[in-house]
Amino acid sequence: MMGEPQIGDVIGELLRDTLAVATGVGPRPLVGGRLPRPVIEIIERDDGLINGAPAAHYLDGPADWQPYDHRAVDRVRGETLDIGTGAGRIALLLQERGVPVTGLDTSAGALAVSRRRGVRRLVHGTVDTHVADGQRYDTFLLLGNNLGLFEGRERAPGFLAALAALARPGAQIIAHGTDPYGTRDPLHTGYHERNRRRGRLGGQLRLRLRYRELGTEWFDYLVCSADEFAALVHGTGWQLTDVDDRDAPYYLATLRLADSP
Ligand SMILES: C[S@@+](CC[C@H](N)C(=O)[O-])C[C@H]1O[C@@H](n2cnc3c(N)ncnc32)[C@H](O)[C@@H]1O
């Protein structure tokens, strides 16, 4: 159909161009063929809402991080899997600290950018496909709002089961989420209400990403309250042991693998 994007590696292309703009190395988007054009991630929601966010933050060093990112990395221990590593900003700091860390991502382009930035251990795939590789972990990170990868009530148990299969005894998950319900904007409150009427969690977003001519398929991304998250975890092999909401509406949820019987 006219105007529909070509399905492709949106994050990979976007991060490659973001790195080129930041370093001045390699082909990069230019205004009028001369001036650097900032790289913008376009996020489309299924009600027609479109947001644009500068992508440069994916490359940020620790000096530009939010306080909760620092608190998250300070809780890391042991063999660590950075799930949805993106441009590898978290993995790079952990490597510097001598933490054995692996970056996992579904985007081949994101992994290429992470590799160029110096991340040594990288895996292309999902938590489900990674189980067969035999590697096991003490800490799983879902930063940069990647609690969203739980998607919703249907996916969460399978996602947690894959993490349990990848876990060493006593493993922990540290996930960064955002409580979406503080808003009074009718565009968002109406969206949450329509979602609930369809049996979905209010902040179970249906999104696709776009960059230049490329788009992703539509996917679910979960933005939920800590209480909703606790309900998703309840009855699985994981226990929600801490919610750090010092930077509300952002929070860090820590889960621990319950002892096997
Ligand atoms: C919002 S970015 C976060 C990047 C990074 N964690 C950070 O804080 O800068 C999300 C990343 O997750 C990756 N991703 C999306 N779905 C994934 C999945 N099912 N498994 C692994 N990675 C995924 C994307 O390709 C992207 O690089």
Side-chain angles (χ1 to χ4, degrees):
M1 193 206 288
M2 285 274 287
E4 280 300 295
Q6 186 183 313
I7 300 298
D9 184 1
V10 170
I11 287 285
E13 298 284 300
L14 175 113
L15 292 178
R16 187 201 56 206
D17 284 359
T18 307
L19 184 63
V21 169
T23 59
V25 176
R28 51 199 178 279
L30 297 170
V31 182
R34 288 190 60 186
L35 300 174
R37 181 191 288 281
V39 177
I40 306 293
E41 178 179 15
I42 302 293
I43 304 162
E44 272 189 87
R45 199 169 70 180
D46 64 347
D47 60 343
L49 177 73
I50 297 179
N51 273 316
H57 70 94
Y58 287 122
L59 269 54
D60 277 350
D64 296 311
W65 289 2
Q66 296 298 317
Y68 48 78
D69 281 332
H70 289 282
R71 295 201 297 278
V73 294
D74 288 347
R75 288 185 189 189
V76 164
R77 55 174 174 71
E79 195 69 48
T80 298
L81 185 65
D82 182 23
I83 301 168
T85 195
R89 66 186 179 98
I90 302 287
L92 280 172
L93 178 71
L94 292 175
Q95 255 183 208
E96 246 177 71
R97 290 186 176 179
V99 174
V101 60
T102 300
L104 176 79
D105 211 290
T106 45
S107 160
L111 293 173
V113 168
S114 282
R115 194 170 295 111
R116 278 175 56 199
R117 283 172 26 99
V119 181
R120 289 189 289 271
R121 285 167 38 182
L122 291 162
V123 173
H124 187 209
T126 64
V127 291
D128 309 86
T129 60
H130 189 36
V131 172
D133 299 335
Q135 185 70 42
R136 298 295 177 257
Y137 298 93
D138 302 293
T139 299
F140 300 98
L141 291 176
L142 288 156
L143 302 185
N145 225 16
N146 255 351
L147 185 146
L149 297 184
F150 280 80
E151 295 184 13
R153 290 190 190 95
E154 284 179 16
R155 171 65 178 148
F159 191 77
L160 286 168
L163 293 185
L166 286 166
R168 287 181 175 165
Q172 59 173 349
I173 303 170
I174 301 166
H176 166 215
T178 305
D179 186 325
Y181 302 125
T183 180
R184 291 193 186 155
D185 183 338
L187 187 63
H188 297 304
T189 55
Y191 185 82
H192 298 156
E193 201 38 55
R194 278 195 301 284
N195 255 345
R196 289 190 191 102
R197 281 203 300 270
R198 291 192 291 154
R200 293 161 64 87
L201 289 166
Q204 187 172 349
L205 310 182
R206 187 92 183 137
L207 304 175
R208 72 176 173 183
L209 306 179
R210 296 184 68 163
Y211 180 61
R212 289 166 58 89
E213 83 286 17
L214 297 182
T216 64
E217 303 281 7
W218 290 94
F219 62 92
D220 280 352
Y221 198 71
L222 183 62
V223 184
C224 68
S225 68
D227 285 347
E228 287 174 324
F229 187 61
L232 287 181
V233 172
H234 186 74
T236 70
W238 294 90
Q239 283 172 355
L240 180 61
T241 54
D242 186 58
V243 175
D244 166 354
D245 61 0
R246 269 182 278 172
D247 300 312
Y250 309 110
Y251 60 89
L252 288 175
T254 301
L255 289 78
R256 277 188 207 289
L257 193 58
D259 294 334
S260 28

